[in-house]
Amino acid sequence: MINLAEKPYNLSEKEINIIQNKLANMSQQEKIGQLFFGIAPDEQHVNLAEYINKYQPGGLMFRPGPAESIKRQILTMQAASSIPLFFAANLEAGGNGIISEGTWIGNPLQIAATDDLDNAYQLGNVAGFEAAQVGCNMAFSPIVDIDYNFKNPITNTRTFGSDPQRVLEMSKAQISGFNENHIIPTIKHFPGDGVDERDQHLLSSINSLSADEWLNTYGNIYQSLIEDGVPCVMIGHIYQPAMEKLIDPQMTLADHLPASASEKLINQVLRNKLGFNGLAITDATPMVGYNVIMPRKDLLPTTINAGIDMILFNKNIDEDYAIITDAVNNGIISSERLDEAVTRILATKLSQGLMDTDGKFINTIPAELELETEQHLEIAHKIATQSITLVKDRDKLIPISPEKTPRVRLVVLGDSDEGGFKEGGKVTDHFKEGLAQLGFEVSMFHMDFHEIFEEGSTDLQAKFDLAIYVANVETASNQTTTRINWIQLMAANSPWFCQSIPTLFISTANPYHLFDVPYISTYINAYSGNIPSIQAVLRKITGKETFEGINPVDPFCGDFIAKL
């Protein structure tokens, strides 16, 4: 039995009666619809009102798009729905997670590099303000994963680093920013990513910490935020075998399940042990890491019966609805369990201000769009100034100047669209033009095999005074690594000449590149490839500003050579 008078709902007796009456008057199909959190349909291909009327989903998630378009679509769908909808986005790094005009404040690891909780608050505040302008009411963030494994291709700059206490404190500050703008925070990815070096988009990954280690780190983070009243938790396709074994010492190896299907991890650890009374949502269920657990017709009901209330995304929406409908009709999902999940959904919507006491949508979307872009850009510039980190400068190369090293070879890595969409954008032109404006003669590296294999150190010294490498190798899902992949044929685009020509290496998207270039003399972490960060890097390498950023992770990756 859910106690709606307790956190995170804190409902009055009158409000609890409203939820109970609303539930009693819903059809079975309306209840089933509430369990689904889909991808927002495209108004160019789907009649939005008809879509809402057919599926009656509990929530939808938007990818970034034009602000006026997002706002119009949200208003249309809220008007068509008998129960107010959650509208979510990945507001991890700023308002750019929901609208294309939104401010890219900085990736969470960049915020951590400032070691300033006010910046974490602003990360939530700016993203929340811009999201609220278009009717987005939920954030799939903060990310409370701990970046323990530098080889993990998905956590990386998306986390607040490897210090559990900093992760906790900055997550709390980011939540405060969301709360300021009435955006519902969703902490993720329970039971915690960042230990395994693999990506749960591609397989079910493993949090392999012992029970004591987990309770003192990830468990402490979740419990602290739960005690603060966090309303929603996103559940990952991640095993935590030690905690399952703690619950059931007799279980066999084959009995273990990822959290998105594990009754032990959800009902017994998250809810009973950590005290979470709120809304549990899966991570995206089209992920490979979810679908390989068991057949989907068995998996979706298992997920609901494990204590999870909402299913994020579909492989096939009609098929998934049919699976849950059949499970309810056949008693695999009991009517009591269905009502429990829907009660949490409705209570969250009421307690978080989406729904009034008549069950109607409370429209707080401003009539006129006002993004306050200039003010928010100033915040991004401040964060960039505080965060850029000089990891090492063995040969005292910095500051550089056109007088000392006028001729620059610029090599940019990871800046192409090859392999898919680049979420963070490109940096090449910004660095090239910025260096030229500072007075440097910039030559871009281009692959010419004939020239490269006739080019020796002496030839390069005759052409260039300085080499600058910029790595914009982004953290992204559905990849197995964020390591540097050099061009084949003797790694021709690598800094093989760094002992002959002064070489500066700048990373805009991954703090761990020293693992692949440990011999580099001068290395800088910028954490984000947004324009404020690029501009701050250029100021700092030319001596116009000091470096202020701290290392929120170990950029040397435990390699003593990298420290030399």
Side-chain angles (χ1 to χ4, degrees), residues 146 148 164-165 168 209-224 243 274:
I146 308 170
Y148 279 138
Q165 191 60 33
L168 174 59
L209 297 186
S210 71
D212 285 343
E213 289 172 327
W214 186 87
L215 287 166
N216 289 328
T217 55
Y218 292 93
N220 180 62
I221 289 171
Y222 277 95
Q223 187 155 34
S224 296
M243 289 304 298
L274 301 184

Side-chain angles (χ1 to χ4, degrees), residues 7-76:
K7 58 188 172 187
Y9 311 107
N10 302 310
L11 297 182
S12 66
E13 185 176 345
K14 178 183 178 182
E15 290 169 326
I16 292 171
N17 288 334
I18 289 168
I19 295 297
Q20 292 172 341
N21 290 334
K22 181 74 173 174
L23 185 71
N25 289 303
M26 291 173 69
S27 69
Q28 177 180 289
Q29 209 54 39
E30 285 176 320
K31 292 177 182 178
I32 289 171
Q34 286 296 299
L35 305 183
F36 286 92
F37 209 122
I39 297 176
D42 182 355
E43 65 178 351
Q44 300 299 319
H45 302 98
V46 175
N47 182 301
L48 299 181
E50 289 180 2
Y51 177 94
I52 295 300
N53 184 59
K54 178 179 180 181
Y55 295 110
Q56 304 177 72
L60 294 167
M61 178 186 172
F62 271 99
R63 298 297 185 186
E68 290 289 359
S69 172
I70 299 288
K71 177 181 175 181
R72 179 178 63 254
Q73 291 179 79
I74 287 176
L75 283 170
T76 298

Side-chain angles (χ1 to χ4, degrees), residues 121-321:
Y121 163 80
Q122 291 295 354
L123 181 63
N125 182 46
V126 171
F129 180 90
E130 294 178 354
Q133 288 289 307
V134 298
C136 173
N137 52 41
M138 176 182 276
F140 286 161
S141 50
I143 295 174
V144 299
D145 298 323
I146 308 170
D147 202 40
Y148 279 138
N149 191 331
F150 75 91
K151 294 181 181 179
N152 186 299
I154 191 66
T155 51
N156 203 288
T157 57
R158 296 176 71 210
T159 73
F160 288 118
S162 59
D163 178 354
Q165 191 60 33
R166 182 179 288 119
V167 171
L168 174 59
E169 291 174 357
M170 290 204 154
S171 297
K172 288 186 175 189
Q174 186 181 11
I175 288 171
S176 295
F178 287 139
N179 289 341
E180 186 78 17
N181 295 278
H182 308 290
I183 301 296
I184 305 167
T186 305
I187 57 176
K188 62 184 185 184
H189 306 83
F190 182 87
D193 205 350
V195 178
D196 202 331
E197 66 179 75
R198 298 167 297 178
D199 176 6
Q200 57 178 296
H201 293 77
L202 301 175
L203 47 78
S204 308
S205 62
I206 303 170
N207 184 315
S208 57
L209 297 186
S210 71
D212 285 343
E213 289 172 327
W214 186 87
L215 287 166
N216 289 328
T217 55
Y218 292 93
N220 180 62
I221 289 171
Y222 277 95
Q223 187 155 34
S224 296
L225 295 174
I226 289 166
E227 289 173 355
D228 285 350
V230 71
C232 304
V233 175
M234 180 176 286
I235 311 302
H237 316 309
I238 303 171
Y239 288 92
Q240 215 312 317
M243 289 304 298
E244 282 194 307
K245 198 77 172 175
L246 186 68
I247 298 298
D248 181 6
Q250 304 305 314
M251 70 185 300
T252 67
L253 189 63
D255 294 330
H256 289 288
L257 289 169
S260 48
S262 172
E263 192 274 339
K264 294 181 180 66
L265 290 177
I266 304 307
N267 274 341
Q268 300 190 53
V269 175
L270 179 62
R271 295 207 184 278
N272 294 344
K273 191 171 186 64
L274 301 184
F276 183 59
N277 190 34
L279 185 66
I281 308 168
T282 69
D283 203 344
T285 65
M287 289 183 186
V288 178
Y290 182 73
N291 288 288
V292 295
I293 300 171
M294 62 181 73
R296 197 169 176 94
K297 65 180 178 61
D298 301 320
L299 183 55
L300 293 178
T302 298
T303 289
I304 298 300
N305 286 333
I308 296 171
D309 307 300
M310 298 190 79
I311 295 162
L312 184 63
F313 305 165
N314 307 102
K315 287 294 284 184
N316 177 298
I317 187 168
D318 294 307
E319 181 179 275
D320 285 356
Y321 270 58

Side-chain angles (χ1 to χ4, degrees), residues 367-436:
E368 298 296 326
L369 196 66
E370 179 51 67
L371 298 178
E372 298 189 2
T373 302
E374 289 187 12
Q375 299 95 309
H376 295 167
L377 195 57
E378 286 180 12
I379 294 169
H381 279 288
K382 171 179 171 283
I383 288 169
T385 298
Q386 291 180 264
S387 63
I388 309 301
T389 307
L390 179 60
V391 176
K392 72 173 187 176
D393 188 21
R394 181 185 63 218
D395 298 331
K396 308 301 179 188
L397 177 57
I398 292 175
I400 62 172
S401 71
E403 291 73 33
K404 290 193 299 183
T405 55
R407 301 169 301 169
V408 173
R409 164 175 272 193
L410 179 61
V411 186
V412 181
L413 309 170
D415 217 23
S416 74
D417 290 323
E418 185 177 350
F421 175 67
K422 277 187 73 63
E423 294 189 359
K426 298 183 178 183
V427 302
T428 299
D429 290 344
H430 298 297
F431 273 102
K432 182 181 178 182
E433 293 166 8
L435 288 165

